[in-house]
Amino acid sequence: MDIVFGIDVSSRNSSVCVLIDDTKNEFTITNDIPGFKELLKNLQVFAKHPQIVFESTGVYSRRLQRFLEDYDYECVVLNPLTAKKEMDNGLRHNKTDRTDAYNLARIQLQNHHESNKREAEVYHNLRALSRSYEELTRDIVSAKNRLHKDLQLTFPEIETVVSHPTNRNYWELVKLYPHCQDVRNLSVDEIIDKLKDFKGYSLKRAQKIATKLKELAEDACPATSQTSPYRDDVIYHANRLIQLDIDRDKRLSQMIKLAQALPNRDLEILMSIPGFAETTAVRVLAELGDIRRFKNSNKIDAFIGIDPGRYQSGKVDSRLGITKHGNAIARKILYRSIGQITQAAKTSSCHIAEYYENKKPSQTKGFKKIAIASVHKLVRTIYALIINNQLYDYEVAKQNQRRKS
């Protein structure tokens, strides 16, 4: 006898459908301790743990999952896109919370999805820090764009003073001189006196920047006066960027500290891959979690959404592009890391970089497809290194490539 609890999780309440073969029982619970205890009471009626299935709905489903894990109940947590596709395949007719709970139970009975492997709390904390890091990165990009827009009205030339106007020293410079008139009112020596206290600035560098700043300010033709609100906006965005950057560095330090304290050397293993600096390695670890919980590298492909889609209808059976049903942040990090690996390959040989470079001349596939194929290879490499507790070795990787070919 198969017993399935299908749960449609919302923000405040959740609809539950208990499916025992063809018999169903439906009820609603609140997403708090009283509601979860009511669910627990219904689960404990059965001597054998029932199957529990629900969609991953971010913070809402995470509370339910944590409660069930605390009572040693395994859960099937489906990606919403996967669940929708399976429910639309002959199951869903009307869209209500109750029908969704029922259909979730039905597709679990039909498809027998495996329960999610429980991860240690440290991996949840790593992932939370990684998501915060990602949000801060988006905020930084947004604040940079706003700062650039306002500077076009007050002192656009300041963006050419340094070669990379994206670090904390540059934002400190903008905060000091948000309008070209702020520079015109000062002598070069007065500007030098301010700049020499910047972190990493020598007296010679301070003199060079002060002189250039003065020249640019004299030639500048601003669209607004020194008393314009746009000048205040420039200072605001510069201050915000400095604080966002500090906060993001703090999240990264916390991630690294947690990863280094793990009872394994996963961070060290990931950092042994050419092109994997500490930031990339710790974020891959944070997003993928405990890699040992995956049965094979194909499961990781599905987890990050680079597994190929498939279309079947009658006699038609064709391969589609990648599903994009998985962890989008992990997919983005791994995709971008291919570029880092190819850059690092100039000094540190890597079979993944060689694969990417060998495929590049084939214009028929397109660079994105080649990059995704390289991500597949990277995922297999990461999985093999972690499972075997080995650091990356180019010669060993090449030997394994020859054995497979």
Side-chain angles (χ1 to χ4, degrees):
M1 181 174 66
D2 289 322
I3 307 163
V4 181
F5 277 61
I7 307 175
D8 185 72
V9 184
S10 301
S11 59
R12 296 181 181 276
N13 303 298
S14 295
S15 296
V16 183
C17 176
V18 185
L19 202 57
I20 306 173
D21 294 330
D22 290 329
T23 305
K24 67 177 179 178
N25 176 38
E26 297 175 322
F27 58 95
T28 301
I29 61 170
T30 53
N31 292 340
D32 52 20
I33 290 295
F36 291 159
K37 284 193 173 179
E38 183 185 345
L39 173 64
L40 182 63
K41 185 173 69 175
N42 280 271
L43 288 166
Q44 290 173 336
V45 168
F46 305 97
K48 181 184 175 183
H49 278 195
Q51 300 175 61
I52 305 169
V53 58
F54 51 88
E55 293 178 7
S56 174
T57 53
V59 292
Y60 305 138
S61 63
R62 182 72 192 104
R63 285 183 291 166
L64 173 63
Q65 185 177 354
R66 174 64 183 269
F67 179 84
L68 292 169
E69 286 177 350
D70 286 345
Y71 285 89
D72 294 324
Y73 279 91
E74 293 184 349
C75 314
V76 176
V77 185
L78 295 178
N79 181 287
L81 292 173
T82 302
K84 181 180 184 302
K85 183 179 178 181
E86 292 186 4
M87 284 193 284
D88 285 345
N89 187 22
L91 289 177
R92 183 193 298 245
H93 299 286
N94 299 310
K95 173 69 175 77
T96 68
D97 291 342
R98 286 200 167 192
T99 56
D100 276 351
Y102 171 66
N103 286 333
L104 282 167
R106 284 282 305 275
I107 63 175
Q108 179 59 22
L109 279 177
Q110 287 186 3
N111 300 324
H112 303 288
H113 293 286
E114 292 183 8
S115 298
N116 289 54
K117 299 296 182 183
R118 185 171 181 177
E119 290 183 284
E121 184 68 20
V122 63
Y123 290 106
H124 293 299
N125 293 337
L126 274 169
R127 193 168 296 120
L129 286 167
S130 178
R131 299 299 163 85
S132 179
Y133 183 96
E134 183 73 14
E135 288 174 4
L136 287 166
T137 300
R138 292 196 197 105
D139 290 343
I140 286 172
V141 171
S142 176
K144 279 180 185 177
N145 291 335
R146 290 174 181 173
L147 177 64
H148 170 76
K149 183 187 72 174
D150 290 334
L151 277 174
Q152 301 313 298
L153 303 173
T154 63
F155 191 10
E157 290 81 4
I158 199 171
E159 293 182 327
T160 65
V161 171
V162 293
S163 53
H164 299 290
T166 55
N167 59 32
R168 223 172 285 170
N169 275 343
Y170 167 71
W171 298 324
E172 291 284 1
L173 184 71
V174 168
K175 188 172 73 171
L176 281 173
Y177 311 112
H179 193 280
C180 59
Q181 193 61 46
D182 294 313
V183 179
R184 290 172 183 167
N185 293 339
L186 301 172
S187 67
V188 172
D189 287 340
E190 287 175 311
I191 298 171
I192 291 171
D193 192 52
K194 291 280 188 182
L195 298 186
K196 63 182 177 60
D197 295 329
F198 278 27
K199 187 178 179 179
Y201 272 28
S202 64
L203 181 59
K204 185 177 179 181
R205 179 164 175 76
Q207 288 171 338
K208 182 180 177 182
I209 290 177
T211 302
K212 188 175 182 181
L213 200 61
K214 189 71 175 175
E215 291 172 355
L216 291 170
E218 294 299 336
D219 293 338
C221 181
T224 63
S225 68
Q226 192 180 11
T227 58
S228 166
Y230 287 110
R231 179 181 179 276
D232 295 333
D233 287 345
V234 168
I235 296 172
Y236 169 78
H237 293 310
N239 272 322
R240 186 159 186 264
L241 280 163
I242 292 166
Q243 189 57 53
L244 286 169
D245 200 46
I246 291 170
D247 290 343
R248 188 174 65 166
D249 283 351
K250 183 180 176 182
R251 302 298 189 281
L252 180 61
S253 297
Q254 289 173 313
M255 275 192 283
I256 292 168
K257 188 176 179 180
L258 281 176
Q260 288 173 339
L262 287 169
N264 53 52
R265 57 173 190 162
D266 290 3
L267 182 61
E268 181 188 358
I269 289 170
L270 290 174
M271 288 178 64
S272 70
I273 300 171
F276 263 55
E278 196 170 46
T279 300
T280 301
V282 78
R283 292 211 63 208
V284 167
L285 182 59
E287 291 299 332
L288 295 185
D290 186 0
I291 293 168
R292 292 169 184 81
R293 78 186 191 279
F294 295 103
K295 285 188 175 180
N296 51 56
S297 62
N298 290 336
K299 296 292 185 182
I300 302 179
D301 285 346
F303 179 76
I304 65 175
I306 61 168
D307 53 323
R310 193 174 182 182
Y311 175 80
Q312 284 184 314
S313 179
K315 295 182 179 180
V316 178
D317 187 353
S318 58
R319 291 273 183 171
L320 306 175
I322 61 173
T323 61
K324 295 186 180 180
H325 282 184
N327 185 320
I329 296 175
R331 185 167 65 246
K332 180 178 73 172
I333 296 167
L334 290 167
Y335 182 85
R336 289 180 175 175
S337 69
I338 298 301
Q340 297 167 6
I341 288 170
T342 54
Q343 285 294 316
K346 294 174 182 177
T347 54
S348 301
S349 298
C350 181
H351 73 291
I352 298 165
E354 289 178 356
Y355 173 85
Y356 179 78
E357 293 298 333
N358 289 337
K359 292 288 184 181
K360 251 179 29 175
S362 173
Q363 294 293 328
T364 55
K365 282 193 173 182
F367 290 119
K368 281 190 178 180
K369 288 187 177 180
I370 296 166
I372 290 296
S374 302
V375 172
H376 279 290
K377 192 170 285 291
L378 173 59
V379 166
R380 287 197 294 272
T381 300
I382 289 172
Y383 185 76
L385 293 176
I386 296 293
I387 292 298
N388 296 304
N389 195 31
Q390 294 176 344
L391 299 178
Y392 180 82
D393 185 297
Y394 172 71
E395 294 302 328
V396 172
K398 289 297 288 182
Q399 285 177 8
N400 291 336
Q401 286 286 105
R402 284 193 286 269
R403 283 180 196 146
K404 290 176 184 177
S405 57

